[in-house]
Amino acid sequence: MEFYQVVAVGAIFLITYLSIVFYLKRRWGLEGNPPQNYSKTHKSIRFGVSGVAIALILVVGLTQFNAERPFPIMTFPIIGFFFIELVNIYMQKKHGENPKWTVISWVTVAFVILMFIGAVYLWASTPAY
């Protein structure tokens, strides 16, 4: 795929996601963002997952300069965000938050999965250089 095609698909994808979340929040009368800070453990898990994703980007990215077909390092933050959202969903259920926020978090998880599939597809369909 050409770069402009990737950008166009990404823009459509982002606009679709934001439209769905905006519609659900407006329909259900939700304000702001979903609750995400529950305890020090929850913050530590989120920080740790983010740190591991950044470390993997650096380690894998810096070791593949001359690789014929480098691994798509942007899958690491996507996977990290997936796990962070699952932890958020668990905490929302554990603390008895409004279940509508949980639905919005599941919509986010679905779009993260689609984003991961798209990243792997781009990697697989791009010829080696």
Side-chain angles (χ1 to χ4, degrees):
M1 290 180 80
E2 296 291 326
F3 180 73
Y4 71 91
Q5 293 171 325
V6 173
V7 170
V9 169
I12 292 169
F13 186 78
L14 179 64
I15 290 169
T16 303
Y17 167 72
L18 292 175
S19 299
I20 290 171
V21 170
F22 177 76
Y23 170 75
L24 290 175
K25 285 173 68 173
R26 190 167 185 208
R27 181 173 180 200
W28 292 333
L30 299 172
E31 297 280 330
N33 295 319
Q36 295 181 347
N37 293 324
Y38 295 102
S39 65
K40 286 187 177 182
T41 304
H42 183 234
K43 289 179 184 178
S44 298
I45 290 171
R46 292 178 60 178
F47 182 73
V49 169
S50 301
V52 167
I54 291 169
L56 285 172
I57 287 173
L58 292 174
V59 169
V60 174
L62 293 175
T63 59
Q64 294 189 11
F65 271 124
N66 297 327
E68 182 178 323
R69 191 165 184 79
F71 186 78
I73 59 175
M74 290 313 293
T75 57
F76 296 129
I78 294 171
I79 294 169
F81 186 64
F82 174 76
F83 285 118
I84 288 172
E85 273 301 312
L86 290 181
V87 169
N88 287 341
I89 290 170
Y90 169 75
M91 294 304 248
Q92 288 169 359
K93 287 184 180 251
K94 180 180 175 186
H95 290 280
E97 295 291 343
N98 188 344
K100 294 174 182 173
W101 283 119
T102 307
V103 171
I104 291 176
S105 292
W106 278 114
V107 168
T108 303
V109 167
F111 273 87
V112 167
I113 290 170
L114 290 173
M115 200 169 25
F116 177 76
I117 291 169
V120 170
Y121 171 76
L122 280 175
W123 174 65
S125 65
T126 303
Y129 53 87

